[in-house]
Amino acid sequence: MREILGRRRRFRFRRSERAAQLGAALTCATQWKWPVLPGVGLAAGGRGCACPDPECVVPGAHPFDPVLLAATTDERMIRWWWTNRPDAPVLLATGAGAPCAISLPALAGARAIAALDAMGVRLGPVVATPTRWSLLVAPYSMERLGELLYSKDWVPSSLRFHSEGGYLVLPPSQTGKGQIRWERPPLGSAGPWLPDVEAVVDALVEASTSAPDGGSRLAY
């Protein structure tokens, strides 16, 4: 009897977990108008990526079929995708009219958030993975980003920029690197507020160069 009850609990948990993936994708697409698509996911048994590359460096956490250009806000398409693949990670196609992001290694990301909070910088949603943290920002073009970085004498080398043509894995996805979660959850049902990329980059540069020992707070 205990074994049967245990199986039922695991089944209910698994069904709830799958519903959460679809719910997250629908919230992004229909409420916030963020284009999403399912990631490739993990192979059977959760061991390695489901893509053909046996040495995939981002297991489960990248587009494959459908490709990134298929990202959409269409509710019917999203329901079809996640009905057929309920465990698929939720991928946000960044740029154009969708949010962009600035990511850092996890430890540097935690330090950056603390430093920016102390500076009084208002942040938007922050996505945390076991290896990297991503600060979501308002959409920007590659041209605008290039001009911004060119104007700086120095930018932390640990920063990565996710803009048009890029993607970001969103909670509550599970990937080969671990569980994806919100370090700072999105606020506002009509669409989360997003800071401007210049404000965040300026604050990150200042936070990095203000280390008391003259080093960088945002190093790897």
Side-chain angles (χ1 to χ4, degrees):
M1 177 62 72
R2 290 180 180 175
E3 183 178 352
I4 293 174
L5 290 175
R7 289 177 180 174
R8 288 178 178 173
R9 291 193 192 98
R10 286 193 295 271
F11 175 75
R12 284 197 297 269
F13 174 78
R14 192 61 174 166
R15 183 168 57 184
S16 174
E17 185 181 62
R18 290 179 173 183
Q21 301 289 93
L22 173 60
L26 287 173
T27 295
C28 290
T30 63
Q31 293 187 31
W32 302 341
K33 305 304 178 185
W34 295 0
V36 296
L37 75 159
V40 64
L42 299 175
R47 296 180 179 178
C49 189
C51 77
D53 184 359
E55 299 181 357
C56 180
V57 295
V58 285
H62 64 88
F64 182 67
D65 184 15
V67 297
L68 184 60
L69 289 176
T72 184
T73 59
D74 183 77
E75 179 177 350
R76 291 174 299 175
M77 191 74 250
I78 288 165
R79 287 189 181 278
W80 188 86
W81 276 335
W82 270 275
T83 296
N84 287 279
R85 297 174 53 204
D87 295 327
V90 180
L91 302 187
L92 165 68
T94 55
C100 293
I102 302 172
S103 71
L104 309 88
L107 179 57
R111 290 172 177 164
I113 298 301
L116 269 54
D117 283 345
M119 294 162 60
V121 177
R122 183 185 179 190
L123 294 174
V126 177
V127 175
T129 78
T131 56
R132 294 190 74 83
W133 286 20
S134 299
L135 287 64
L136 270 63
V137 298
Y140 60 80
S141 66
M142 290 302 294
E143 290 77 13
R144 184 181 175 196
L145 177 64
E147 292 173 358
L148 172 63
L149 299 182
Y150 183 76
S151 68
K152 303 295 180 187
D153 292 330
W154 177 83
V155 175
S157 60
S158 60
L159 300 185
R160 292 181 188 168
F161 298 91
H162 309 258
S163 59
E164 189 167 0
Y167 63 90
L168 194 68
V169 187
L170 297 180
S173 303
Q174 178 74 35
T175 72
K177 299 290 187 179
Q179 184 70 43
I180 313 300
R181 63 180 178 83
W182 292 111
E183 174 63 23
R184 296 285 174 90
L187 301 176
S189 58
W193 178 84
L194 299 168
D196 192 77
V197 64
E198 281 93 345
V200 175
V201 170
D202 287 348
L204 288 173
V205 170
E206 181 178 345
S208 180
T209 56
S210 62
D213 59 358
S216 172
R217 295 179 188 272
L218 309 186
Y220 281 92

